[in-house]
Short mmCIF file of all heavy atoms in Angstrom, two decimals:
data_model
loop_
_atom_site.label_atom_id
_atom_site.label_comp_id
_atom_site.label_asym_id
_atom_site.label_seq_id
_atom_site.Cartn_x
_atom_site.Cartn_y
_atom_site.Cartn_z
N THR A 324 -31.58 -12.99 4.60
CA THR A 324 -30.58 -12.69 3.57
C THR A 324 -29.62 -11.54 4.05
O THR A 324 -29.02 -10.84 3.15
CB THR A 324 -31.34 -12.23 2.25
OG1 THR A 324 -32.21 -11.08 2.59
CG2 THR A 324 -32.20 -13.31 1.73
N ASP A 325 -29.46 -11.31 5.31
CA ASP A 325 -28.51 -10.37 5.72
C ASP A 325 -27.07 -10.97 5.72
O ASP A 325 -26.90 -12.14 5.45
CB ASP A 325 -28.85 -9.92 7.17
CG ASP A 325 -28.75 -11.05 8.13
OD1 ASP A 325 -29.62 -11.99 8.07
OD2 ASP A 325 -27.85 -11.15 8.99
N TYR A 326 -26.15 -10.14 5.91
CA TYR A 326 -24.65 -10.56 5.77
C TYR A 326 -24.40 -11.77 6.59
O TYR A 326 -23.76 -12.66 6.11
CB TYR A 326 -23.81 -9.29 6.10
CG TYR A 326 -22.29 -9.67 6.17
CD1 TYR A 326 -21.59 -9.69 5.01
CD2 TYR A 326 -21.71 -9.92 7.30
CE1 TYR A 326 -20.21 -10.03 5.01
CE2 TYR A 326 -20.25 -10.27 7.40
CZ TYR A 326 -19.55 -10.25 6.24
OH TYR A 326 -18.20 -10.55 6.28
N LEU A 327 -24.85 -11.75 7.85
CA LEU A 327 -24.38 -12.80 8.82
C LEU A 327 -25.08 -14.12 8.33
O LEU A 327 -24.69 -15.21 8.77
CB LEU A 327 -24.71 -12.37 10.20
CG LEU A 327 -23.86 -11.32 10.79
CD1 LEU A 327 -24.31 -10.98 12.18
CD2 LEU A 327 -22.44 -11.68 10.82
N SER A 328 -26.24 -14.05 7.61
CA SER A 328 -26.94 -15.29 7.34
C SER A 328 -26.50 -16.02 5.92
O SER A 328 -26.96 -17.05 5.70
CB SER A 328 -28.48 -14.88 7.16
OG SER A 328 -28.94 -14.41 8.43
N LEU A 329 -25.70 -15.27 5.25
CA LEU A 329 -25.30 -15.87 3.94
C LEU A 329 -24.12 -16.79 4.05
O LEU A 329 -23.23 -16.66 4.94
CB LEU A 329 -24.93 -14.75 2.95
CG LEU A 329 -25.97 -13.69 2.65
CD1 LEU A 329 -25.41 -12.68 1.57
CD2 LEU A 329 -27.29 -14.39 2.05
N LYS A 330 -24.15 -17.81 3.22
CA LYS A 330 -23.04 -18.77 3.12
C LYS A 330 -21.99 -18.11 2.14
O LYS A 330 -22.30 -17.80 1.08
CB LYS A 330 -23.46 -20.06 2.69
CG LYS A 330 -22.41 -21.17 2.60
CD LYS A 330 -22.90 -22.47 2.22
CE LYS A 330 -21.79 -23.53 2.24
NZ LYS A 330 -22.26 -24.91 1.72
N MET A 331 -20.80 -17.98 2.59
CA MET A 331 -19.76 -17.29 1.84
C MET A 331 -18.37 -17.88 2.16
O MET A 331 -18.16 -18.50 3.26
CB MET A 331 -19.76 -15.75 2.06
CG MET A 331 -19.65 -15.33 3.56
SD MET A 331 -19.86 -13.63 3.75
CE MET A 331 -21.62 -13.40 3.46
N PRO A 332 -17.36 -17.51 1.36
CA PRO A 332 -16.05 -18.08 1.69
C PRO A 332 -15.52 -17.35 2.99
O PRO A 332 -15.95 -16.36 3.48
CB PRO A 332 -15.14 -17.48 0.48
CG PRO A 332 -16.13 -17.27 -0.61
CD PRO A 332 -17.41 -16.86 0.10
N GLU A 333 -14.47 -17.98 3.57
CA GLU A 333 -14.00 -17.52 4.87
C GLU A 333 -13.49 -16.11 4.78
O GLU A 333 -13.67 -15.33 5.71
CB GLU A 333 -12.95 -18.49 5.39
CG GLU A 333 -12.36 -18.14 6.73
CD GLU A 333 -11.34 -19.09 7.28
OE1 GLU A 333 -10.87 -19.96 6.48
OE2 GLU A 333 -10.98 -19.00 8.48
N GLU A 334 -12.79 -15.77 3.63
CA GLU A 334 -12.22 -14.48 3.55
C GLU A 334 -13.33 -13.37 3.66
O GLU A 334 -13.15 -12.35 4.36
CB GLU A 334 -11.43 -14.38 2.26
CG GLU A 334 -10.81 -12.98 2.13
CD GLU A 334 -10.18 -12.74 0.71
OE1 GLU A 334 -9.61 -13.73 0.23
OE2 GLU A 334 -10.25 -11.65 0.20
N THR A 335 -14.48 -13.65 2.91
CA THR A 335 -15.54 -12.74 2.95
C THR A 335 -16.28 -12.67 4.22
O THR A 335 -16.76 -11.71 4.67
CB THR A 335 -16.52 -13.06 1.74
OG1 THR A 335 -15.74 -13.17 0.57
CG2 THR A 335 -17.53 -11.93 1.60
#
Side-chain angles (χ1 to χ4, degrees):
T324 57
D325 60 293
Y326 173 82
L327 293 176
S328 301
L329 299 182
K330 185 178 180 180
M331 58 185 66
E333 183 176 12
E334 180 185 325
T335 309

